[in-house]
Amino acid sequence: MGPTASGKTRVALELARRFDAEIVSVDSAQVYRGMDIGTAKPDARTRGAVPHHLIDLIDPNESYSAARFADEAWQAIREIAARGRLPLLAGGTMLYFKALREGLSALPAADPDTRLVIDAMAADLGWPALHATLAKLDPDTAARLEPNDAQRIQRALEVCWLTGRPMSEVIAVGRAAPPPHPFIAISLEPSDRTVLHDRIAVRFEEMLELGLIGELRRLKETYALDPQMPSMRCVGYRQTWDYLGGAYGLSTLREKGIAATRQLAKRQLTWLRAMPDVERFDCLADDLAERVTAFVTAKVSPPS
């Protein structure tokens, strides 16, 4: 686990080679076909060298859920283990990791009428105002969300109004028992966030050079997309969508894309700090892969 630009891919590939593992992607954006550059999806050569799972599952105009991820991830884990290989989960979608480790709670289904009311309020008052409302009803959930995170604010308010309880409380009380399976949980975290921020800036610039703008243009030509779809709310794509719509120029796209990615990293680190039983490594260490490999070796190798 780790924030964006923490070096998860490099470490995961090293572990996969060392332990004869197959990688299960824990990334809510890499499930979309055609969204390759902006999700830093492993290329065909990498996936040919090390088997990857839960990548390119759906089209960008479709939706995916944590519940579906948990089902498909456990299926992949069982199949990998049956082949005598090690399942290696790698990614930055912390909700998906949480679903695997702790199970999913029984939240109410989406209610179209409630969502219409919330959307109407947002159109009138703005999402930051609804975020302030959520902070009064469910301060724990609101603290994890950005004031303009429309999708998650909508869901948290919906759960509050449907159940009469904060979503954080419903999750804590109603969580299903997690599947009995041992995890070695590793988090790659920066000792200096400034360096991570620099990495993020370089990475977003590389995405632009690789053709992120053209990739989104082709996706819009191929699929019936709109900016409120989960795929188009992914960091990088949301900002590029506005750029293609003429909202701002290339320099502003760079600024907004980098800023949004840094905010994503901040949220990921907030999730990670709250996770128990995690071995944490400095993702800026020169010998990061060697340190993680030594730690995992001690965990999976029988004592002599």
Side-chain angles (χ1 to χ4, degrees), residues 76-195:
I77 288 169
R78 288 191 294 269
E79 292 173 353
I80 293 168
R83 290 192 285 271
R85 309 189 79 184
L86 188 70
L88 173 59
L89 291 89
T93 301
M94 303 309 161
L95 175 62
Y96 286 7
F97 277 115
K98 193 174 181 69
L100 282 174
R101 297 182 73 195
E102 302 178 16
L104 289 166
S105 54
L107 294 174
D111 182 76
D113 293 336
T114 301
R115 293 196 169 190
L116 281 174
V117 172
I118 295 171
D119 287 342
M121 292 174 63
D124 184 36
L125 303 173
W127 285 107
L130 267 66
H131 182 267
T133 299
L134 178 64
K136 297 176 182 177
L137 298 172
D138 186 355
D140 289 342
T141 298
R144 297 203 312 269
L145 304 180
E146 295 298 318
N148 285 304
D149 192 344
Q151 183 179 3
R152 293 181 177 86
I153 293 170
Q154 179 196 63
R155 179 56 173 160
L157 284 173
E158 178 185 40
V159 171
C160 286
W161 292 346
L162 290 176
T163 66
R165 294 185 295 166
M167 187 169 76
S168 55
E169 179 183 314
V170 176
I171 290 173
V173 173
R175 191 175 303 283
H181 193 92
F183 283 96
I184 301 172
I186 296 166
S187 177
L188 311 183
E189 303 176 20
S191 55
D192 184 344
R193 288 202 188 185
T194 301
V195 178

